[in-house]
């Protein structure tokens, strides 16, 4: 092939490639189908919100009234406990070391009390009242009272030690299932309200769903309104809800969806529903669910009714 034809041929090939590339770039593309199809609301008129699953008793954060080293943890995750069952024990060796001296003081006080009683009984049994003065008799009676007070004080000290020892064993305040265990034997357990609770328990025989309704939609919600919840990512997992109550005070929204248009300072009305966990065994405490609450159709120009009033 002559060299004078090579350059035009290469230019034509390049032009063809460019045209094909432009056509391919301008060709309309099919939008990607979402992995999960959006769920249609179950009601003709509804308010949507996000709900968090809670145990029916709420999350009970178990603490300790006295700080100390954890000696024993009696429970593990998933255990069901009855009210009063021991959950964990704080090291009580310091209190047990005080029992022997306290028992010895009680024994000494009991002996002195018995001695004072015998001396008083002897004085009272003297047939001739002139043989013992009235002052001596009153002194012996006072000695009996002092010895009795000392004996009662020694017994009170022992009772106090028993009470303090009993406080070192943390017991379940109500029946429930152990949801979290955040402490191990040998760790230090602070008293008060630590940032991380030692144990968390709750009654999971019924689930509560705490639904956040945006403050702009709060006026549309009525007490007793029907509601349906579904699991995000699987709209086939859904259940009807039973109304429990409406929290009378709006709170700051803490469960954010991550949307770029969502305001972080939004306040929400919290509506509490319940459902049987056996109807949705695939859900867990702390999981978020999509919720639709049935409301009456909006009327233009109508006055906004008070929230929670039927």
């Amino acid at each position: 092939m002559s060299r004078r034809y090579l350059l035009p041929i290469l230019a034509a090939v390049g032009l063809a490639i460019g045209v094909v590339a432009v056509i391919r770039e301008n060709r309309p593309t099919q939008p990607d189908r979402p992995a999960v199809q959006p769920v249609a609301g179950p009601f003709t008129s509804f308010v949507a919100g996000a709900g968090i699953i809670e145990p029916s008793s709420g999350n009970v954060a178990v603490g300790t009234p006295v700080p100390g080293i954890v000696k024993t943890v009696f429970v593990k995750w998933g255990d069901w406990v009855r009210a009063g069952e021991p959950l964990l024990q704080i090291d009580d060796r310091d209190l047990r070391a005080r029992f022997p001296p306290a028992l010895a003081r009680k024994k000494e006080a009991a002996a002195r009390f018995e001695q004072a009683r015998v001396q008083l009984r002897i004085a009272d049994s003297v047939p001739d009242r002139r043989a013992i003065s009235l002052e001596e008799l009153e002194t012996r009676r006072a000695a009996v009272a002092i010895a009795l007070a000392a004996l009662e004080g020694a017994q009170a000290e022992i009772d106090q030690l028993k009470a303090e020892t009993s406080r070192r064993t943390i017991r379940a305040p109500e029946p429930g299932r152990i949801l979290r265990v955040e402490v191990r034997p040998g760790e230090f357990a602070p008293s008060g309200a630590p940032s991380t609770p030692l144990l968390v328990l709750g009654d999971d025989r019924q689930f509560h769903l705490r639904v956040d309704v945006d403050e702009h939609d709060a006026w549309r919600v009525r007490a007793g309104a029907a509601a349906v919840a579904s699991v995000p990512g699987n709209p086939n997992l859904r259940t009807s809800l039973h109304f429990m109550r409406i929290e009378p005070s709006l709170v700051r929204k803490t469960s954010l969806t991550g949307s770029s248009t969502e305001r972080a300072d939004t306040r929400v009305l919290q509506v509490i529903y319940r459902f049987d966990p056996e109807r949705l065994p695939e859900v867990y405490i702390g999981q978020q669910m999509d919720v639709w609450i049935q409301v009456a159709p909006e009327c233009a120009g109508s006055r906004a009714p008070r929230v929670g009033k039927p």
Side-chain angles (χ1 to χ4, degrees):
M1 179 181 297
S2 177
R3 291 185 176 181
R4 63 178 181 176
Y5 297 112
L6 179 61
L7 185 60
I9 292 174
L10 293 177
V13 172
L15 179 60
I17 293 175
V19 171
V20 171
V22 170
I23 293 175
R24 289 174 61 91
E25 288 294 329
N26 293 333
R27 186 172 56 186
T29 58
Q30 296 294 331
D32 295 334
R33 297 186 62 182
V36 178
Q37 294 297 326
V39 184
F43 309 110
T44 57
S45 183
F46 60 86
V47 167
I52 300 295
I53 300 177
E54 300 177 346
S56 59
S57 61
N59 292 322
V60 180
V62 179
T64 172
V66 291
I69 302 298
V70 176
K71 180 180 179 182
T72 309
V73 178
F74 299 104
V75 295
K76 61 182 182 299
W77 297 271
D79 286 350
W80 178 267
V81 295
R82 296 185 296 270
E85 283 193 26
L87 302 177
L88 59 91
Q89 185 179 22
I90 305 297
D91 189 4
D92 58 354
R93 287 176 293 180
D94 56 332
L95 296 177
R96 296 188 180 277
R98 293 164 55 185
F99 268 100
L103 292 173
R105 286 190 290 271
K106 178 185 176 181
K107 187 175 181 180
E108 179 184 1
R112 292 184 181 278
F113 174 65
E114 186 61 27
Q115 181 184 28
R117 285 178 54 187
V118 170
Q119 292 178 354
L120 179 59
R121 187 166 57 249
I122 292 175
D124 285 337
S125 63
V126 174
D128 190 356
R129 291 299 179 183
R130 294 174 297 176
I132 184 171
S133 65
L134 181 60
E135 181 181 359
E136 177 65 20
L137 186 61
E138 291 297 329
T139 299
R140 296 191 180 187
R141 289 176 178 169
V144 171
I146 293 174
L148 177 60
L151 178 59
E152 292 176 347
Q155 181 60 49
E157 181 181 1
I158 293 176
D159 293 340
Q160 182 180 8
L161 287 175
K162 290 181 179 179
E164 290 293 332
T165 303
S166 177
R167 293 179 67 200
R168 300 293 178 94
T169 300
I170 313 304
R171 301 182 180 274
E174 57 186 39
R177 192 172 304 280
I178 302 299
L179 305 177
R180 290 170 56 192
V181 179
E182 300 292 345
V183 68
R184 306 291 185 278
E187 294 181 350
F188 180 79
S191 61
S195 57
T196 302
L198 306 179
L199 298 168
V200 177
L201 65 87
D203 189 347
D204 61 351
R205 291 173 293 186
Q206 286 286 330
F207 280 170
H208 281 185
L209 197 60
R210 184 176 296 270
V211 185
D212 290 344
V213 177
D214 189 275
E215 58 186 337
H216 299 293
D217 293 324
W219 65 271
R220 303 177 62 193
V221 178
R222 295 290 188 275
V228 172
S230 71
V231 177
N234 190 347
N236 295 324
L237 296 178
R238 62 169 56 191
T239 181
S240 58
L241 304 175
H242 299 277
F243 176 82
M244 294 295 295
R245 67 182 185 276
I246 295 178
E247 298 288 346
S249 175
L250 272 70
V251 298
R252 185 178 298 277
K253 186 175 183 180
T254 57
S255 177
L256 302 177
T257 63
S259 172
S260 60
T261 60
E262 186 175 46
R263 293 185 296 119
D265 60 345
T266 300
R267 304 186 69 83
V268 293
L269 177 72
Q270 294 190 326
V271 188
I272 313 301
Y273 285 87
R274 67 175 174 86
F275 68 94
D276 189 350
E278 294 184 357
R279 301 184 63 180
L280 281 179
E282 301 86 355
V283 300
Y284 303 91
I285 293 174
Q287 184 173 349
Q288 183 171 293
M289 299 186 71
D290 298 326
V291 182
W292 296 269
I293 301 176
Q294 186 177 27
V295 297
E298 297 180 14
C299 299
S302 63
R303 183 179 178 182
R306 292 183 59 85
V307 173
K309 297 296 183 180

